[in-house]
Amino acid sequence: MEVMAHQYGLPEDLLGSVLGVSAQSVQSVMLRWRRAGWVRSGKVDAGATWFWLGQGQARECLGWDTPGWRPTPPVTGHVRAVAAVRFHRVGLDVERWVSERTLQHQVGWRRKGERLPHVPDGIEIRPDGRRILTEVELTAKTRSRYLEPRPQDGVGDMAGGLLSSVEARARDLGCMGVVYWCAPRILERVRDVIEEYVVRTRERRGRARDPEALGPELRWAVRSLEEVPCWEPRRAVR
């Protein structure tokens, strides 16, 4: 229930997969929780039933007030994929994952017009305590969104854009690396732009008078969501 609160909601088939039980078993548990008023359920499309906590139960599990949430078609694909990555990496261990919902809460309120820091999809905490900032990408952004074009004079910012914001946030959150979990169709595109970003940051580090002042070099990795069980709904067979 605590994991469900942190991941907003979970589809029935993903719950069954991580618990290693049948759909009937999941339905039985969720029926009891629903009768107790702890969870709500509904269909988003022709796929699996989704379950999520009511606002009061979410507050009890999270420890703070949070806006109500319900699954909608524009967001459920990403919510499912992030939860699937979490289960794939740390299972149900609540001590080894910092959720996007927690990170968003930690950002707190900002004045109108004040720039918000980047909020990742989660932070994986390795058994040795090392922290890995985690992003889940289902659709690729434009190349210029990830990484600003290289300046023609070769003097300006060599590594601006989203990846620069991700790196800055990773350092703020005490992470030693960043991993992008990508849908198969965009894997090479994301890998290519991250490789270019790493080259540029190393160039900038090489020109710096005091490279140590920039902090240790962050590790970057790109992984395929094909490694992750249940990251997308099962497709109907015609």
Side-chain angles (χ1 to χ4, degrees):
M1 194 176 293
E2 183 176 348
V3 171
M4 188 183 294
H6 278 281
Q7 300 307 129
Y8 298 100
L10 297 169
E12 177 183 272
D13 57 330
L14 181 56
L15 268 170
S17 174
V18 70
L19 295 173
V21 299
S22 67
Q24 185 176 4
S25 296
V26 173
Q27 292 167 7
S28 177
V29 172
M30 290 300 129
L31 178 60
R32 293 199 300 271
W33 287 9
R34 193 164 58 239
R35 286 173 175 169
W38 298 338
V39 302
R40 299 175 182 176
S41 63
K43 286 274 193 177
V44 179
D45 49 32
T49 299
W50 276 75
F51 300 99
W52 65 98
L53 301 187
Q55 200 165 355
Q57 196 65 26
R59 183 192 313 115
E60 185 173 332
C61 289
L62 295 170
W64 65 83
D65 287 325
T66 184
W69 184 90
R70 63 177 297 117
T72 58
V75 302
T76 50
H78 188 258
V79 171
R80 165 195 277 272
V82 173
V85 168
R86 173 179 180 155
F87 292 145
H88 178 60
R89 297 299 299 171
V90 306
L92 291 168
D93 190 338
V94 296
E95 302 297 327
R96 291 190 50 213
W97 189 272
V98 183
S99 69
E100 183 268 347
R101 213 170 195 179
T102 295
L103 296 167
Q104 187 68 62
H105 173 68
Q106 291 173 351
V107 166
W109 294 100
R110 290 292 190 273
R111 295 176 182 174
K112 186 177 181 180
E114 186 177 355
R115 187 174 181 178
L116 295 172
H118 176 75
V119 179
D121 292 321
I123 295 175
E124 177 189 343
I125 303 174
R126 298 280 178 83
D128 61 7
R130 292 181 300 168
R131 296 160 65 92
I132 309 295
L133 186 143
T134 302
E135 298 285 359
V136 175
E137 294 282 84
L138 300 184
T139 57
K141 301 171 178 64
T142 62
R143 189 178 186 85
S144 60
R145 176 75 176 92
Y146 286 116
L147 181 61
E148 292 177 1
R150 186 185 287 271
Q152 293 182 353
D153 59 10
V155 177
D157 185 357
M158 300 291 289
L162 174 62
L163 295 180
S164 180
S165 299
V166 169
E167 176 168 357
R169 192 67 176 133
R171 294 187 184 281
D172 289 344
L173 293 169
C175 299
M176 53 77 65
V178 176
V179 59
Y180 267 79
W181 290 89
C182 301
R185 63 184 175 276
I186 67 168
L187 184 67
E188 292 306 319
R189 288 183 60 187
V190 176
R191 179 176 286 136
D192 179 62
V193 75
I194 286 178
E195 286 176 353
E196 182 179 346
Y197 175 78
V198 171
V199 168
R200 291 200 203 178
T201 54
R202 286 175 178 169
E203 289 176 2
R204 183 172 58 183
R205 183 178 291 271
R207 293 194 308 273
R209 293 183 179 180
D210 183 11
E212 293 185 2
L214 300 176
E217 186 174 347
L218 229 60
R219 298 182 183 180
W220 291 80
V222 181
R223 305 281 293 272
S224 174
L225 282 168
E226 287 185 308
E227 302 175 34
V228 180
C230 262
W231 73 272
E232 63 177 348
R234 294 186 181 91
R235 299 184 184 279
V237 177
R238 296 184 178 181

PDB file of all heavy atoms in Angstrom, residues 106-128:
ATOM      1  N   GLN A 106       9.463  17.322  -1.770  1.00  0.00           N
ATOM      2  CA  GLN A 106      10.653  17.971  -1.211  1.00  0.00           C
ATOM      3  C   GLN A 106      10.964  19.298  -1.885  1.00  0.00           C
ATOM      4  O   GLN A 106      11.542  20.191  -1.266  1.00  0.00           O
ATOM      5  CB  GLN A 106      11.851  17.033  -1.308  1.00  0.00           C
ATOM      6  CG  GLN A 106      11.755  15.819  -0.400  1.00  0.00           C
ATOM      7  CD  GLN A 106      12.855  14.807  -0.627  1.00  0.00           C
ATOM      8  OE1 GLN A 106      13.630  14.915  -1.591  1.00  0.00           O
ATOM      9  NE2 GLN A 106      12.942  13.809   0.236  1.00  0.00           N
ATOM     10  N   VAL A 107      10.581  19.426  -3.151  1.00  0.00           N
ATOM     11  CA  VAL A 107      10.787  20.694  -3.857  1.00  0.00           C
ATOM     12  C   VAL A 107       9.984  21.801  -3.186  1.00  0.00           C
ATOM     13  O   VAL A 107      10.433  22.939  -3.055  1.00  0.00           O
ATOM     14  CB  VAL A 107      10.389  20.548  -5.341  1.00  0.00           C
ATOM     15  CG1 VAL A 107      10.273  21.922  -6.006  1.00  0.00           C
ATOM     16  CG2 VAL A 107      11.402  19.684  -6.080  1.00  0.00           C
ATOM     17  N   GLY A 108       8.781  21.446  -2.699  1.00  0.00           N
ATOM     18  CA  GLY A 108       7.947  22.410  -1.978  1.00  0.00           C
ATOM     19  C   GLY A 108       7.353  23.466  -2.897  1.00  0.00           C
ATOM     20  O   GLY A 108       7.391  23.372  -4.127  1.00  0.00           O
ATOM     21  N   TRP A 109       6.798  24.478  -2.266  1.00  0.00           N
ATOM     22  CA  TRP A 109       6.161  25.557  -3.016  1.00  0.00           C
ATOM     23  C   TRP A 109       7.209  26.517  -3.555  1.00  0.00           C
ATOM     24  O   TRP A 109       8.234  26.748  -2.941  1.00  0.00           O
ATOM     25  CB  TRP A 109       5.173  26.325  -2.126  1.00  0.00           C
ATOM     26  CG  TRP A 109       4.002  25.506  -1.704  1.00  0.00           C
ATOM     27  CD1 TRP A 109       3.828  24.880  -0.505  1.00  0.00           C
ATOM     28  CD2 TRP A 109       2.839  25.209  -2.468  1.00  0.00           C
ATOM     29  NE1 TRP A 109       2.641  24.200  -0.481  1.00  0.00           N
ATOM     30  CE2 TRP A 109       2.006  24.388  -1.672  1.00  0.00           C
ATOM     31  CE3 TRP A 109       2.422  25.548  -3.758  1.00  0.00           C
ATOM     32  CZ2 TRP A 109       0.776  23.920  -2.135  1.00  0.00           C
ATOM     33  CZ3 TRP A 109       1.205  25.086  -4.206  1.00  0.00           C
ATOM     34  CH2 TRP A 109       0.391  24.283  -3.389  1.00  0.00           C
ATOM     35  N   ARG A 110       6.932  27.091  -4.712  1.00  0.00           N
ATOM     36  CA  ARG A 110       7.791  28.101  -5.312  1.00  0.00           C
ATOM     37  C   ARG A 110       6.949  29.316  -5.672  1.00  0.00           C
ATOM     38  O   ARG A 110       5.762  29.202  -5.978  1.00  0.00           O
ATOM     39  CB  ARG A 110       8.477  27.565  -6.578  1.00  0.00           C
ATOM     40  CG  ARG A 110       9.544  26.504  -6.299  1.00  0.00           C
ATOM     41  CD  ARG A 110      10.740  27.125  -5.584  1.00  0.00           C
ATOM     42  NE  ARG A 110      11.866  26.194  -5.503  1.00  0.00           N
ATOM     43  CZ  ARG A 110      12.045  25.304  -4.546  1.00  0.00           C
ATOM     44  NH1 ARG A 110      11.141  25.204  -3.583  1.00  0.00           N
ATOM     45  NH2 ARG A 110      13.103  24.523  -4.523  1.00  0.00           N
ATOM     46  N   ARG A 111       7.576  30.490  -5.612  1.00  0.00           N
ATOM     47  CA  ARG A 111       6.872  31.699  -6.014  1.00  0.00           C
ATOM     48  C   ARG A 111       6.573  31.665  -7.505  1.00  0.00           C
ATOM     49  O   ARG A 111       7.266  31.003  -8.268  1.00  0.00           O
ATOM     50  CB  ARG A 111       7.724  32.923  -5.693  1.00  0.00           C
ATOM     51  CG  ARG A 111       7.964  33.137  -4.201  1.00  0.00           C
ATOM     52  CD  ARG A 111       8.890  34.297  -3.967  1.00  0.00           C
ATOM     53  NE  ARG A 111       9.156  34.489  -2.558  1.00  0.00           N
ATOM     54  CZ  ARG A 111      10.027  35.374  -2.080  1.00  0.00           C
ATOM     55  NH1 ARG A 111      10.719  36.139  -2.912  1.00  0.00           N
ATOM     56  NH2 ARG A 111      10.209  35.476  -0.776  1.00  0.00           N
ATOM     57  N   LYS A 112       5.542  32.373  -7.905  1.00  0.00           N
ATOM     58  CA  LYS A 112       5.160  32.422  -9.309  1.00  0.00           C
ATOM     59  C   LYS A 112       6.334  32.931 -10.136  1.00  0.00           C
ATOM     60  O   LYS A 112       6.940  33.961  -9.818  1.00  0.00           O
ATOM     61  CB  LYS A 112       3.945  33.329  -9.493  1.00  0.00           C
ATOM     62  CG  LYS A 112       3.397  33.321 -10.910  1.00  0.00           C
ATOM     63  CD  LYS A 112       2.140  34.171 -11.030  1.00  0.00           C
ATOM     64  CE  LYS A 112       1.583  34.129 -12.448  1.00  0.00           C
ATOM     65  NZ  LYS A 112       0.352  34.951 -12.564  1.00  0.00           N
ATOM     66  N   GLY A 113       6.662  32.199 -11.191  1.00  0.00           N
ATOM     67  CA  GLY A 113       7.762  32.592 -12.056  1.00  0.00           C
ATOM     68  C   GLY A 113       9.106  32.043 -11.635  1.00  0.00           C
ATOM     69  O   GLY A 113      10.072  32.122 -12.399  1.00  0.00           O
ATOM     70  N   GLU A 114       9.183  31.493 -10.406  1.00  0.00           N
ATOM     71  CA  GLU A 114      10.455  30.946  -9.943  1.00  0.00           C
ATOM     72  C   GLU A 114      10.699  29.592 -10.602  1.00  0.00           C
ATOM     73  O   GLU A 114       9.811  28.748 -10.650  1.00  0.00           O
ATOM     74  CB  GLU A 114      10.428  30.784  -8.418  1.00  0.00           C
ATOM     75  CG  GLU A 114      11.768  30.355  -7.828  1.00  0.00           C
ATOM     76  CD  GLU A 114      11.704  30.269  -6.308  1.00  0.00           C
ATOM     77  OE1 GLU A 114      10.654  30.625  -5.744  1.00  0.00           O
ATOM     78  OE2 GLU A 114      12.710  29.849  -5.696  1.00  0.00           O
ATOM     79  N   ARG A 115      11.908  29.405 -11.094  1.00  0.00           N
ATOM     80  CA  ARG A 115      12.223  28.174 -11.816  1.00  0.00           C
ATOM     81  C   ARG A 115      12.283  26.987 -10.864  1.00  0.00           C
ATOM     82  O   ARG A 115      12.926  27.048  -9.818  1.00  0.00           O
ATOM     83  CB  ARG A 115      13.557  28.321 -12.546  1.00  0.00           C
ATOM     84  CG  ARG A 115      13.889  27.146 -13.454  1.00  0.00           C
ATOM     85  CD  ARG A 115      15.135  27.413 -14.247  1.00  0.00           C
ATOM     86  NE  ARG A 115      15.453  26.308 -15.132  1.00  0.00           N
ATOM     87  CZ  ARG A 115      16.484  26.304 -15.959  1.00  0.00           C
ATOM     88  NH1 ARG A 115      17.292  27.357 -16.009  1.00  0.00           N
ATOM     89  NH2 ARG A 115      16.703  25.261 -16.738  1.00  0.00           N
ATOM     90  N   LEU A 116      11.620  25.901 -11.247  1.00  0.00           N
ATOM     91  CA  LEU A 116      11.615  24.690 -10.432  1.00  0.00           C
ATOM     92  C   LEU A 116      12.789  23.798 -10.822  1.00  0.00           C
ATOM     93  O   LEU A 116      13.134  23.703 -11.998  1.00  0.00           O
ATOM     94  CB  LEU A 116      10.309  23.920 -10.627  1.00  0.00           C
ATOM     95  CG  LEU A 116       9.024  24.594 -10.153  1.00  0.00           C
ATOM     96  CD1 LEU A 116       7.823  23.775 -10.592  1.00  0.00           C
ATOM     97  CD2 LEU A 116       9.037  24.749  -8.646  1.00  0.00           C
ATOM     98  N   PRO A 117      13.397  23.123  -9.850  1.00  0.00           N
ATOM     99  CA  PRO A 117      14.457  22.170 -10.188  1.00  0.00           C
ATOM    100  C   PRO A 117      13.874  20.957 -10.898  1.00  0.00           C
ATOM    101  O   PRO A 117      12.691  20.644 -10.744  1.00  0.00           O
ATOM    102  CB  PRO A 117      15.045  21.791  -8.828  1.00  0.00           C
ATOM    103  CG  PRO A 117      13.935  22.011  -7.856  1.00  0.00           C
ATOM    104  CD  PRO A 117      13.158  23.183  -8.389  1.00  0.00           C
ATOM    105  N   HIS A 118      14.691  20.289 -11.665  1.00  0.00           N
ATOM    106  CA  HIS A 118      14.245  19.089 -12.365  1.00  0.00           C
ATOM    107  C   HIS A 118      13.834  18.021 -11.343  1.00  0.00           C
ATOM    108  O   HIS A 118      14.529  17.800 -10.350  1.00  0.00           O
ATOM    109  CB  HIS A 118      15.369  18.550 -13.250  1.00  0.00           C
ATOM    110  CG  HIS A 118      15.022  17.276 -13.933  1.00  0.00           C
ATOM    111  ND1 HIS A 118      14.172  17.215 -15.012  1.00  0.00           N
ATOM    112  CD2 HIS A 118      15.377  15.985 -13.669  1.00  0.00           C
ATOM    113  CE1 HIS A 118      14.043  15.968 -15.403  1.00  0.00           C
ATOM    114  NE2 HIS A 118      14.754  15.190 -14.605  1.00  0.00           N
ATOM    115  N   VAL A 119      12.716  17.370 -11.596  1.00  0.00           N
ATOM    116  CA  VAL A 119      12.247  16.289 -10.726  1.00  0.00           C
ATOM    117  C   VAL A 119      12.350  14.967 -11.500  1.00  0.00           C
ATOM    118  O   VAL A 119      11.609  14.756 -12.461  1.00  0.00           O
ATOM    119  CB  VAL A 119      10.797  16.507 -10.248  1.00  0.00           C
ATOM    120  CG1 VAL A 119      10.351  15.341  -9.372  1.00  0.00           C
ATOM    121  CG2 VAL A 119      10.689  17.817  -9.480  1.00  0.00           C
ATOM    122  N   PRO A 120      13.251  14.077 -11.114  1.00  0.00           N
ATOM    123  CA  PRO A 120      13.400  12.798 -11.828  1.00  0.00           C
ATOM    124  C   PRO A 120      12.266  11.842 -11.519  1.00  0.00           C
ATOM    125  O   PRO A 120      11.436  12.090 -10.640  1.00  0.00           O
ATOM    126  CB  PRO A 120      14.741  12.267 -11.310  1.00  0.00           C
ATOM    127  CG  PRO A 120      14.880  12.870  -9.949  1.00  0.00           C
ATOM    128  CD  PRO A 120      14.225  14.223 -10.030  1.00  0.00           C
ATOM    129  N   ASP A 121      12.249  10.712 -12.229  1.00  0.00           N
ATOM    130  CA  ASP A 121      11.212   9.708 -12.017  1.00  0.00           C
ATOM    131  C   ASP A 121      11.462   8.866 -10.774  1.00  0.00           C
ATOM    132  O   ASP A 121      10.560   8.161 -10.309  1.00  0.00           O
ATOM    133  CB  ASP A 121      11.104   8.794 -13.236  1.00  0.00           C
ATOM    134  CG  ASP A 121      10.565   9.539 -14.446  1.00  0.00           C
ATOM    135  OD1 ASP A 121       9.658  10.374 -14.269  1.00  0.00           O
ATOM    136  OD2 ASP A 121      11.047   9.295 -15.573  1.00  0.00           O
ATOM    137  N   GLY A 122      12.641   8.934 -10.225  1.00  0.00           N
ATOM    138  CA  GLY A 122      12.955   8.208  -8.995  1.00  0.00           C
ATOM    139  C   GLY A 122      14.447   8.179  -8.754  1.00  0.00           C
ATOM    140  O   GLY A 122      15.245   8.579  -9.608  1.00  0.00           O
ATOM    141  N   ILE A 123      14.820   7.721  -7.574  1.00  0.00           N
ATOM    142  CA  ILE A 123      16.222   7.500  -7.239  1.00  0.00           C
ATOM    143  C   ILE A 123      16.349   6.086  -6.693  1.00  0.00           C
ATOM    144  O   ILE A 123      15.691   5.723  -5.713  1.00  0.00           O
ATOM    145  CB  ILE A 123      16.735   8.508  -6.196  1.00  0.00           C
ATOM    146  CG1 ILE A 123      16.722   9.923  -6.783  1.00  0.00           C
ATOM    147  CG2 ILE A 123      18.152   8.137  -5.730  1.00  0.00           C
ATOM    148  CD1 ILE A 123      17.109  10.991  -5.785  1.00  0.00           C
ATOM    149  N   GLU A 124      17.162   5.304  -7.353  1.00  0.00           N
ATOM    150  CA  GLU A 124      17.461   3.957  -6.865  1.00  0.00           C
ATOM    151  C   GLU A 124      18.620   4.035  -5.882  1.00  0.00           C
ATOM    152  O   GLU A 124      19.621   4.710  -6.135  1.00  0.00           O
ATOM    153  CB  GLU A 124      17.846   3.037  -8.019  1.00  0.00           C
ATOM    154  CG  GLU A 124      18.236   1.639  -7.576  1.00  0.00           C
ATOM    155  CD  GLU A 124      18.834   0.799  -8.691  1.00  0.00           C
ATOM    156  OE1 GLU A 124      18.667   1.156  -9.875  1.00  0.00           O
ATOM    157  OE2 GLU A 124      19.482  -0.221  -8.367  1.00  0.00           O
ATOM    158  N   ILE A 125      18.479   3.346  -4.762  1.00  0.00           N
ATOM    159  CA  ILE A 125      19.551   3.310  -3.758  1.00  0.00           C
ATOM    160  C   ILE A 125      20.140   1.904  -3.764  1.00  0.00           C
ATOM    161  O   ILE A 125      19.455   0.933  -3.442  1.00  0.00           O
ATOM    162  CB  ILE A 125      19.029   3.678  -2.359  1.00  0.00           C
ATOM    163  CG1 ILE A 125      18.372   5.072  -2.402  1.00  0.00           C
ATOM    164  CG2 ILE A 125      20.159   3.645  -1.337  1.00  0.00           C
ATOM    165  CD1 ILE A 125      17.698   5.472  -1.113  1.00  0.00           C
ATOM    166  N   ARG A 126      21.391   1.800  -4.168  1.00  0.00           N
ATOM    167  CA  ARG A 126      22.054   0.506  -4.255  1.00  0.00           C
ATOM    168  C   ARG A 126      22.295  -0.055  -2.842  1.00  0.00           C
ATOM    169  O   ARG A 126      22.298   0.695  -1.856  1.00  0.00           O
ATOM    170  CB  ARG A 126      23.395   0.654  -4.988  1.00  0.00           C
ATOM    171  CG  ARG A 126      23.258   1.133  -6.431  1.00  0.00           C
ATOM    172  CD  ARG A 126      22.886   0.007  -7.350  1.00  0.00           C
ATOM    173  NE  ARG A 126      22.700   0.437  -8.730  1.00  0.00           N
ATOM    174  CZ  ARG A 126      23.688   0.606  -9.613  1.00  0.00           C
ATOM    175  NH1 ARG A 126      24.952   0.387  -9.245  1.00  0.00           N
ATOM    176  NH2 ARG A 126      23.420   0.978 -10.853  1.00  0.00           N
ATOM    177  N   PRO A 127      22.537  -1.376  -2.730  1.00  0.00           N
ATOM    178  CA  PRO A 127      22.794  -1.973  -1.410  1.00  0.00           C
ATOM    179  C   PRO A 127      23.968  -1.324  -0.682  1.00  0.00           C
ATOM    180  O   PRO A 127      23.996  -1.289   0.551  1.00  0.00           O
ATOM    181  CB  PRO A 127      23.086  -3.439  -1.739  1.00  0.00           C
ATOM    182  CG  PRO A 127      22.309  -3.693  -2.992  1.00  0.00           C
ATOM    183  CD  PRO A 127      22.404  -2.415  -3.776  1.00  0.00           C
ATOM    184  N   ASP A 128      24.950  -0.775  -1.438  1.00  0.00           N
ATOM    185  CA  ASP A 128      26.098  -0.130  -0.803  1.00  0.00           C
ATOM    186  C   ASP A 128      25.851   1.343  -0.495  1.00  0.00           C
ATOM    187  O   ASP A 128      26.747   2.058  -0.057  1.00  0.00           O
ATOM    188  CB  ASP A 128      27.352  -0.283  -1.674  1.00  0.00           C
ATOM    189  CG  ASP A 128      27.201   0.359  -3.055  1.00  0.00           C
ATOM    190  OD1 ASP A 128      26.173   1.031  -3.288  1.00  0.00           O
ATOM    191  OD2 ASP A 128      28.110   0.185  -3.899  1.00  0.00           O
TER     192      ASP A 128
END
